[in-house]
């Protein structure tokens, strides 16, 4: 049996019953009910094998981490976005790579050089690796079965969309239905609590704000940060006012930013470990100031205004008739996107191209033309 070592950070709290550990929430595909805490544990008690777990994961969506730690066998899973990470070693499973590092007494400087260079270049490490070779992690949409030291990763979800041909009108209808389904489900998760929305001047947060309004969520407070005379801030205010939502701007100054380095700021950053990715810190000073001013209502649910650029397809290059669309060129394109901050030597580039190729081979797509090439890259980048 692995040692379960859970951190005491200020994120979602773990619920535990005997050998089952759960944090977050989920909803079944055909049920709006939100399962948390002991309700979620009750559902997980039905899982006896890794196949049971995989079937279960195919029927739910949400933000969660799951650990089922039996005497000789351990099952674990993260959601499709890996919003709540899980790490493990030969003897420990945890929500914190730092907890494992300290328990195993791994020196800070005993890192895997390739992974550390990847971390320095990208601000994250892909796949199962962290900067420490003894510590691994679960990837997005993945479960793991650890049995007497044998580790088997199983992907239960890939970010792959079927290739279809539709008219612009049909696409609009599909997008509308999907958006309403998402936000009505989100409304159940919010459950009447106040909402705090990060509102920029762009289309992403404008879309989120409009959908919250469309499904009847009125108690929304929007905030932004930056120079008060900037276009982004001015447009953010217009967006919030048009929706009838409360709005406030936090002007970022050197005093505001320096709070990142006091005890509370460092505690926030340290809670993200730093062994596989770097914390997104831009919102933290603004939210902290709003909290200190008493602007944020109690029990608020925070919603990001970022939809992500992947659905826009802006990274997709035009078809090149002279190009071979194969795994090797897909790996080179991904490498170019990930390792574009520094110039590495050919030995490093060769090792990483091989690793990326192995990752692509795990995706259930055979690259044989332009469309499959783009789909494989989309799946890799979206799921990284």
């Amino acid at each position: 049996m692995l040692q379960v070592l859970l951190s005491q950070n200020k994120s979602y709290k773990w619920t535990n019953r005997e050998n089952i550990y759960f944090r977050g929430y989920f909803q079944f595909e055909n049920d709006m009910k939100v399962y948390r805490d002991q309700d979620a544990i009750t559902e997980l008690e039905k899982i006896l094998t890794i196949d049971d777990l995989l079937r279960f994961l195919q029927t739910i969506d949400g933000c969660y981490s799951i650990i089922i730690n039996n005497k000789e066998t351990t099952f674990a899973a993260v959601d499709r976005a890996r919003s709540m990470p899980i790490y493990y070693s030969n003897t420990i499973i945890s929500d914190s790579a730092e907890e494992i590092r300290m328990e195993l007494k791994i020196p800070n400087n005993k890192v895997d050089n390739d992974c550390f260079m990847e971390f320095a270049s990208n601000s994250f490490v892909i796949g199962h690796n962290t900067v420490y070779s003894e510590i691994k992690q679960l990837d997005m949409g993945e479960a793991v079965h650890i049995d007497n030291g044998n580790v088997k990763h199983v992907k239960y979800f890939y970010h792959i969309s079927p290739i279809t041909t539709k008219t612009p009108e049909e696409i609009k209808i599909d997008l509308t239905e999907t958006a309403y389904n998402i936000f009505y489900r989100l409304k159940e998760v919010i459950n009447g609590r106040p909402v705090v929305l990060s509102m920029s001047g762009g289309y992403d947060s404008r879309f989120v704000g409009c959908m919250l309004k469309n499904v009847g969520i009125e108690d929304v407070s929007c905030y932004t940060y930056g120079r008060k005379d900037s276009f982004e801030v001015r447009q953010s205010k217009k967006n919030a006012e048009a929706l009838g939502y409360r709005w406030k701007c936090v002007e970022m100054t050197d005093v505001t930013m320096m709070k990142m380095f006091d005890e509370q700021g460092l505690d926030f950053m340290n809670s993200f470990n730093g062994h596989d990715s770097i914390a997104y810190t831009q919102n933290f000073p603004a939210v902290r100031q709003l909290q200190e001013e008493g602007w944020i209502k109690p029990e608020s649910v925070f919603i990001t205004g970022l939809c992500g650029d992947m659905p826009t397809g802006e990274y997709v290059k035009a078809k090149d008739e002279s190009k071979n669309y194969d795994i090797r060129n897909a790996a080179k394109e991904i490498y170019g996107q990930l390792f574009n901050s520094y110039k590495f030597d050919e030995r490093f580039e060769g090792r990483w191209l091989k690793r990326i190729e192995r990752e692509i081979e795990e995706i259930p797509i055979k690259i044989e033309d332009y469309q499959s090439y783009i789909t494989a890259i989309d799946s890799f980048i979206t799921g990284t």
Side-chain angles (χ1 to χ4, degrees), residues 321-354:
E321 297 293 348
S322 65
K323 186 172 185 177
N324 291 325
Y325 289 106
D326 53 26
I327 287 181
R328 185 65 175 177
N329 279 323
K332 286 182 178 179
E333 186 157 327
I334 291 168
Y335 179 89
Q337 292 185 40
L338 296 181
F339 296 92
N340 57 12
S341 299
Y342 304 95
K343 175 65 175 177
F344 295 104
D345 65 33
E346 293 181 357
R347 292 172 300 170
F348 178 84
E349 180 175 344
R351 290 197 300 272
W352 274 100
L353 284 172
K354 288 180 180 178

Side-chain angles (χ1 to χ4, degrees), residues 71-340:
K71 187 174 181 180
E72 295 182 350
T73 299
T74 300
F75 309 134
V78 294
D79 61 55
R80 298 176 185 184
R82 189 184 165 273
S83 56
M84 300 179 185
I86 289 180
Y87 305 89
Y88 64 90
S89 69
N90 291 336
T91 56
I92 303 169
I93 189 164
S94 175
D95 57 353
S96 167
E98 175 64 6
E99 293 283 344
I100 299 177
R101 186 194 70 80
M102 291 191 298
E103 183 70 15
L104 297 180
K105 296 181 173 57
I106 302 171
N108 269 321
N109 60 355
K110 189 187 175 185
V111 297
D112 178 291
N113 289 334
D114 281 0
C115 291
F116 189 78
M117 282 196 288
E118 179 189 0
F119 179 80
S121 176
N122 304 329
S123 75
F124 62 89
V125 184
I126 64 174
H128 302 127
N129 291 328
T130 69
V131 296
Y132 298 104
S133 58
E134 298 96 331
I135 304 174
K136 302 300 181 182
Q137 62 174 311
L138 270 68
D139 205 356
M140 293 180 176
E142 188 174 67
V144 66
H145 180 199
I146 305 173
D147 185 22
N148 288 321
N150 297 313
V151 179
K152 180 181 180 182
H153 295 96
V154 185
K155 273 278 195 179
Y156 68 87
F157 179 80
Y158 287 93
H159 290 265
I160 298 174
S161 299
I163 306 303
T164 59
T165 301
K166 293 185 178 182
T167 65
E169 188 59 36
E170 289 172 328
I171 292 171
K172 289 179 183 178
I173 292 171
D174 285 351
L175 176 60
T176 301
E177 290 178 351
T178 300
Y180 273 99
N181 180 49
I182 290 169
F183 280 87
Y184 274 120
R185 285 183 169 275
L186 181 58
K187 186 176 183 180
E188 293 298 314
V189 175
I190 293 169
N191 194 28
R193 289 172 290 175
V195 169
V196 176
L197 172 65
S198 54
M199 173 72 77
S200 71
Y203 291 113
D204 284 14
S205 57
R206 194 180 311 185
F207 169 76
V208 175
C210 288
M211 288 307 304
L212 291 172
K213 190 77 172 182
N214 288 344
V215 299
I217 300 175
E218 298 291 343
D219 191 358
V220 178
S221 299
C222 302
Y223 76 93
T224 192
Y225 52 84
R227 295 197 334 268
K228 290 185 176 180
D229 62 345
S230 70
F231 166 79
E232 284 280 338
V233 170
R234 295 198 307 271
Q235 187 61 49
S236 169
K237 184 178 182 180
K238 289 180 182 179
N239 294 344
E241 289 177 345
L243 293 167
Y245 288 158
R246 183 172 170 242
W247 180 88
K248 189 174 179 67
C249 172
V250 176
E251 191 161 25
M252 304 300 276
T253 66
D254 54 349
V255 175
T256 307
M257 294 305 297
M258 284 303 294
K259 287 185 177 181
M260 285 299 303
F261 303 101
D262 64 15
E263 184 177 354
Q264 187 177 348
L266 291 174
D267 181 59
F268 169 77
M269 289 192 286
N270 287 338
S271 68
F272 288 85
N273 304 315
H275 304 326
D276 63 296
S277 62
I278 293 176
Y280 181 78
T281 57
Q282 284 184 281
N283 287 320
F284 177 78
V287 171
R288 180 176 172 181
Q289 182 167 322
L290 294 173
Q291 179 69 19
E292 291 172 349
E293 294 174 0
W295 186 81
I296 297 174
K297 299 178 182 179
E299 301 297 319
S300 289
V301 176
F302 281 76
I303 297 177
T304 179
L306 298 172
C307 296
D309 292 331
M310 301 306 291
T312 68
E314 66 176 73
Y315 64 92
V316 177
K317 295 182 179 179
K319 187 175 181 180
D320 182 353
E321 297 293 348
S322 65
K323 186 172 185 177
N324 291 325
Y325 289 106
D326 53 26
I327 287 181
R328 185 65 175 177
N329 279 323
K332 286 182 178 179
E333 186 157 327
I334 291 168
Y335 179 89
Q337 292 185 40
L338 296 181
F339 296 92
N340 57 12

